[in-house]
């Protein structure tokens, strides 16, 4: 079975132009070229391609926690799991520094620096101890831990004063319920020095400040008053632990909806990184102006940092970490207008659980933490116009303009493409009993109406249930039943698609199966293994997407995507360099999910932690 995979000189000629212009040229002159898959750009990775590609390296499946720091050259230092990344303000990678010993992980929601040395909290392997790490920013090749252990739940202040770092932590050496405030002077001490203790529980953040020669320390924590009301509290003390006038400040849930999170003192205001909001209050605890962003879920929970990059009389440029090292935001605060605006997303996509493209050219990506929504014309550093939490757990499908998949506890849910009041998925039915769902598809089963099909990786079974949406405030009761297969056993089903005539297409360990209904079960109609030669044979791990007569097959282990006319199993073109992973414009690295709408496709280029946009040129 043959195929065409000619190089496209037109696209190569314009590769230094913008992706948009490249796409226009492709559309205008596609009739001059053989059928091909044309790359149009990226979504979700600000580094885009090649040496500037931004990536996160987990340790034992854990991505860790990251703060952010800006240096005198206006470059950002951010965590990347097992590395520290230095990136431009536009999100391109400049260099990476590994943590030593190997297997150490950045676990610091705040970064700080002093004398050109970056400091952050990390976790070392084997002992699993929390340590303070140091990385020389001008001459360092790796970040190494300092020779002393940290206590329980350590918090590093993002500011340094008079040659000292400040750390708040609990310790077995302190009375229960007491928080220790420590200083560390790299030039004059070999360990932490205890300054004072405070009867504080639920510690969640700290900032230090110097005013009129006095060092002031602000602690954010949770407390319960005599009426058993819980509150978010800011306690302000001096360097001896004495309360400042007007403190503590208490914020109750009735006023600030269950406020919780970290605090950052910038100029004369507290930035409270709550969940799911950012609030701005003055040093008296008064709204100044209060909530500035609401229910933008990827900004994260209390494990993140807000840092001033630059300012003038009217504007402040801010860098915001989201807790996880896969996403950071550049934002602008207009002090005169009290306006907050996100400018850029710096980051990547180390986890891609779901992927879809709608009729309206909206692209949705599930990261395992949040569901991101982009427009087709967005680029690698674009801000998602909508974010929801939690994300879809597996590949789903579009119902009109909304995405249908599973979320928490494997509950069927609708993910609206348009931002709603709280930006949450809408439960659609009862929980799915399937143990490891991989993909869901909507199809017509004979004359029975619309049904859902689901592949289960653990039981190696195809499940089906009548499809319905919630109505009259009641969830639809899905009744999942296994489909009977005759004459064949599935080995590792990874993707599924139902056709209008009742046939089912399944990806299963190196082959694409076409199943047809027969006598109450399903039998194999065709098996597709790729081309007739070894170059075109499919690898073992496969995902696919179908729209009309076109199919995109993601051949993970062979680092490519194959365009197939599934009605006669004709291979039309191949994108990516077979068996050679890469991060260039026409290269893939362990691609997984794909989605297709018309001639527009998106590829989860998982090894490169990005989404690749492509155009099919018939």
């Amino acid at each position: 079975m043959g195929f065409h995979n000619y190089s496209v000189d037109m696209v190569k000629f314009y590769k230094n132009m913008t992706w948009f212009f490249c796409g226009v040229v492709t559309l205008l002159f596609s009739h001059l070229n053989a059928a091909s898959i044309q790359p149009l750009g990226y979504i979700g990775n600000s580094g885009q391609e090649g040496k500037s590609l931004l990536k996160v390296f987990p340790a034992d499946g854990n991505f860790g926690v990251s703060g952010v720091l800006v240096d005198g050259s206006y470059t950002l230092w951010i965590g990347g799991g097992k590395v520290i990344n230095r990136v431009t303000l536009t999100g391109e990678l400049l260099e990476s520094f590994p943590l030593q010993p190997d297997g150490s992980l950045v676990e610091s929601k705040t970064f700080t620096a002093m004398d050109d040395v970056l400091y952050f909290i990390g976790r070392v392997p084997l002992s699993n101890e929390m340590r303070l790490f140091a990385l020389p920013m001008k001459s360092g090749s790796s970040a190494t831990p300092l020779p002393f252990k940290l206590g329980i739940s350590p918090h590093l202040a993002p500011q340094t004063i008079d040659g000292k770092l400040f750390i708040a932590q609990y310790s077995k050496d302190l009375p229960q319920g007491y928080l220790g405030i420590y200083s560390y002077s790299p030039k004059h001490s070999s360990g932490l020095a205890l300054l004072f203790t405070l009867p504080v529980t639920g510690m969640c953040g700290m900032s230090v400040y110097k005013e009129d020669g006095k060092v002031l320390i602000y602690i954010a924590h949770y407390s319960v008053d005599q009426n058993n009301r819980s509150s978010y509290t800011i306690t302000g003390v001096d360097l001896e632990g004495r309360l400042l006038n007007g403190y503590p400040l208490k914020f109750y849930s009735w006023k600030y909806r269950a406020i919780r999170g970290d605090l950052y003192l910038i100029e004369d205001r507290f930035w409270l990184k709550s969940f799911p909001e950012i609030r701005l209050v003055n040093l008296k605890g008064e709204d100044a102006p209060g909530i500035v962003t609401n229910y933008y879920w990827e900004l994260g929970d209390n494990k993140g940092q807000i840092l001033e990059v630059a300012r003038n009389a009217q504007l402040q440029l801010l860098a915001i970490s989201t807790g996880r090292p896969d996403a950071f935001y550049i934002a602008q605060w207009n002090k005169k207008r009290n306006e907050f605006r996100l400018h850029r997303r710096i980051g990547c996509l180390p986890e891609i659980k779901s992927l879809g493209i709608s009729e309206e050219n909206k692209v949705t990506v599930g990261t395992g933490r949040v569901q991101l929504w982009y427009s087709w014309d967005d680029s690698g550093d674009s801000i998602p116009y909508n974010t929801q939490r939690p994300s879809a757990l597996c590949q789903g499908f579009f119902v009109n303009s909304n995405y249908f998949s599973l979320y928490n506890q494997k509950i069927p849910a609708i993910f609206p493409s348009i931002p709603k009041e709280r930006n949450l998925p809408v439960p659609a039915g009862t929980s799915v009993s399937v143990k490891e769902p991989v993909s869901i598809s909507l199809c017509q089963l004979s004359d029975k109406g619309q049904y859902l099909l689901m592949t289960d990786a653990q039981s190696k079974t195809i499940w089906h249930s009548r499809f319905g949406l919630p109505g009259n405030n009641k969830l639809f009761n899905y009744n999942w039943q296994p489909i009977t297969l005759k004459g064949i056993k599935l080995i590792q089903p990874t993707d599924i698609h139902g056709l209008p005539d009742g046939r089912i297409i399944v990806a299963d360990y190196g082959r694409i199966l076409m199943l047809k209904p027969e006598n109450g079960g399903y039998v194999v109609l065709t098996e597709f293994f790729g081309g007739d030669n070894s170059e075109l044979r499919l690898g073992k791990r496969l995902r696919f997407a179908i729209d009309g007569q076109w199919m995109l097959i993601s051949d993970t282990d062979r680092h490519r995507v194959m365009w197939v006319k599934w009605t006669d199993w004709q291979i039309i073109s191949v994108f990516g360099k077979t068996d050679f992973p890469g991060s260039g414009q026409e290269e893939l690295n362990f691609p997984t999910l794909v989605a297709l709408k018309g001639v527009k496709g998106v590829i989860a280029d998982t090894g490169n932690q990005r989404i690749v946009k492509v155009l099919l040129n018939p």
Side-chain angles (χ1 to χ4, degrees):
M1 185 176 295
F3 76 104
H4 298 289
N5 186 19
Y6 302 118
S7 61
V8 184
D9 294 333
M10 185 67 72
V11 173
K12 290 183 177 179
F13 179 78
Y14 285 101
K15 66 180 180 179
N16 294 321
M17 301 297 182
T18 64
W19 284 105
F20 176 76
F21 184 63
C22 180
V24 171
V25 170
T26 300
L27 286 170
L28 291 175
F29 297 101
S30 60
H31 66 281
L32 299 179
N33 302 290
S36 59
I37 303 174
Q38 302 293 340
L40 293 183
Y42 310 104
I43 291 175
N45 194 307
S46 57
Q48 301 196 70
E49 64 182 49
K51 294 182 179 180
S52 66
L53 188 72
L54 191 57
K55 295 177 73 173
V56 168
F57 301 91
D60 298 326
N62 185 0
F63 292 97
V65 179
S66 177
V68 58
L69 184 103
V70 62
D71 62 23
S73 301
Y74 292 100
T75 59
L76 298 177
W77 297 73
I78 58 179
K82 296 193 294 183
V83 301
I84 294 292
N85 291 322
R86 187 169 76 93
V87 302
T88 66
L89 283 178
T90 52
E92 293 91 0
L93 177 67
L94 295 173
E95 52 188 333
S96 287
F97 304 89
L99 273 62
Q100 297 295 338
D102 187 44
S104 298
L105 185 68
V106 180
E107 289 273 18
S108 191
K109 65 180 180 179
T110 52
F111 286 2
T112 193
M114 187 167 56
D115 298 328
D116 294 323
V117 177
L118 172 69
Y119 294 94
F120 61 92
I121 294 170
R123 188 182 300 275
V124 297
L126 300 181
S127 66
N128 212 32
E129 295 171 353
M130 300 293 281
R131 303 279 284 272
L132 187 64
F133 280 70
L135 171 62
M137 299 166 70
K138 292 185 176 180
S139 59
S141 59
S142 62
T144 55
L146 298 181
F148 54 85
K149 302 177 184 179
L150 296 180
I152 302 169
S153 301
H155 288 70
L156 175 67
Q159 305 90 357
T160 63
I161 294 178
D162 299 334
K164 295 180 180 179
L165 284 70
F166 295 85
I167 291 177
Q169 61 182 14
Y170 298 97
S171 171
K172 295 179 181 179
D173 299 328
L174 299 178
Q176 186 174 0
Y178 275 76
L179 179 72
I181 309 299
Y182 299 80
S183 67
Y184 170 64
S185 178
K187 292 184 177 180
H188 302 101
S189 61
S190 58
L192 299 179
L194 179 63
L195 300 176
F196 57 87
T197 62
L198 290 173
V200 166
T201 58
M203 160 74 176
C204 62
M206 173 175 63
S207 276
V208 296
Y209 188 61
K210 193 170 185 179
E211 184 180 73
D212 298 330
K214 296 181 180 180
V215 178
L216 309 178
I217 301 175
Y218 298 94
I219 307 292
H221 59 100
Y222 312 125
S223 62
V224 179
D225 64 16
Q226 62 272 19
N227 297 318
N228 204 33
R229 290 190 303 170
S230 61
S231 67
Y232 176 88
T233 301
I234 299 177
T235 296
V237 296
D238 61 18
L239 205 54
E240 284 73 40
R242 296 181 295 243
L243 276 176
L244 303 180
N245 290 334
Y247 287 84
L249 306 176
K250 294 183 180 291
F251 305 89
Y252 292 97
S253 297
W254 61 267
K255 181 180 179 182
Y256 292 88
R257 297 190 300 274
I259 185 171
R260 56 188 185 272
D262 217 334
L263 87 163
Y264 297 94
L265 182 60
I266 300 177
E267 285 193 286
D268 57 349
R269 299 183 186 186
F270 290 121
W271 288 79
L272 307 180
K273 195 169 187 299
S274 187
F275 186 62
E277 302 153 348
I278 292 178
R279 294 178 172 84
L280 190 55
V281 301
N282 61 25
L283 299 186
K284 296 180 180 180
E286 301 166 336
D287 285 347
I291 296 174
V292 297
T293 182
N294 193 19
Y295 293 111
Y296 193 87
W297 289 99
E298 204 191 22
L299 285 178
D301 49 25
N302 60 325
K303 294 181 179 179
Q305 183 174 354
I306 300 176
L307 174 76
E308 183 181 75
V309 176
R311 79 168 82 151
N312 59 26
Q314 181 172 344
L315 302 175
Q316 284 178 300
L317 190 65
L318 305 171
I320 303 174
S321 66
T322 64
R324 281 202 353 174
D326 56 342
F328 302 80
Y329 281 82
I330 301 297
Q332 176 184 288
W333 171 246
N334 189 314
K335 295 182 285 186
K336 291 187 177 180
R337 298 179 180 176
N338 283 341
E339 290 179 352
F340 180 86
R341 186 160 63 95
L342 296 173
H343 269 295
R344 177 178 293 117
R345 181 187 187 270
I346 293 176
C348 53
L349 299 169
E351 284 188 297
I352 304 174
K353 298 286 189 180
S354 64
L355 180 65
I357 180 170
S358 71
E359 293 279 0
E360 297 83 8
N361 294 321
K362 304 300 183 184
V363 177
T364 187
V365 184
T367 70
R369 181 173 66 154
V370 292
Q371 195 75 18
L372 306 178
W373 289 84
Y374 292 94
S375 296
W376 172 259
D377 293 329
D378 284 341
S379 59
D381 65 350
S382 292
I383 297 166
Y385 75 87
N386 186 18
T387 69
Q388 294 150 341
R389 182 163 174 162
S391 80
L393 296 177
C394 66
Q395 190 72 329
F397 57 90
F398 272 92
V399 179
N400 298 322
S401 60
N402 301 320
Y403 195 66
F404 186 96
S405 184
L406 307 180
Y407 79 137
N408 281 355
Q409 308 302 319
K410 304 173 190 174
I411 297 173
I414 299 168
F415 295 79
S417 63
I418 305 301
K420 302 294 184 180
E421 181 183 359
R422 298 184 65 204
N423 271 4
L424 298 174
V426 180
T430 53
S431 181
V432 174
S433 58
V434 176
K435 294 182 178 180
E436 194 177 341
V438 180
S439 180
I440 303 177
S441 176
L442 181 65
C443 77
Q444 188 86 17
L445 286 185
S446 301
D447 58 351
K448 297 180 181 179
Q450 286 188 316
Y451 270 71
L452 291 178
L453 296 171
M454 181 186 302
T455 49
D456 178 22
Q458 189 170 120
S459 67
K460 303 174 184 178
T461 303
I462 299 174
W463 298 81
H464 75 284
S465 172
R466 189 169 180 82
F467 175 66
L469 295 174
N472 298 323
N473 297 320
K474 291 184 179 181
L475 299 180
F476 189 83
N477 186 23
Y478 292 101
N479 181 23
W480 294 95
Q481 299 293 328
I483 281 180
T484 301
L485 300 180
K486 298 181 178 182
I488 190 171
K489 288 185 178 181
L490 298 179
I491 302 171
Q492 186 181 321
T494 51
D495 226 329
I496 192 165
H497 182 85
L499 298 173
D501 60 5
R503 290 178 296 170
I504 299 173
I505 300 178
V506 181
D508 181 47
Y509 201 65
R511 58 187 178 171
I512 305 293
L513 302 175
M514 173 78 77
L515 307 176
K516 69 173 183 177
E518 185 176 287
N519 298 326
Y522 278 79
V523 298
V524 175
L525 182 62
T526 58
E527 289 183 271
F528 178 67
F529 294 93
D532 295 330
N533 57 61
S534 59
E535 178 74 11
L536 296 178
R537 295 286 283 188
L538 295 173
K540 300 304 182 184
R541 292 186 291 171
L542 305 173
R543 304 301 295 259
F544 69 83
I546 291 177
D547 192 39
Q549 64 180 336
W550 304 134
M551 170 188 279
L552 283 182
I553 301 174
S554 174
D555 193 348
T556 301
D557 297 322
R558 304 200 72 180
H559 310 291
R560 64 189 181 184
V561 165
M562 191 175 288
W563 176 16
V564 174
K565 183 182 177 184
W566 67 265
T567 52
D568 58 6
W569 299 108
Q570 175 190 353
I571 299 174
I572 298 173
S573 185
V574 174
F575 179 75
K577 296 181 179 179
T578 299
D579 298 331
F580 289 94
S583 59
Q585 180 178 335
E586 297 183 3
E587 296 175 319
L588 297 171
N589 184 2
F590 293 105
T592 53
L593 303 177
V594 285
L596 180 64
K597 185 57 62 177
V599 295
K600 293 180 178 178
V602 282
I603 303 167
D605 191 6
T606 303
N608 289 322
Q609 303 184 10
R610 65 187 180 184
I611 302 298
V612 180
K613 299 185 294 182
V614 296
L615 185 73
L616 307 186
N617 271 332

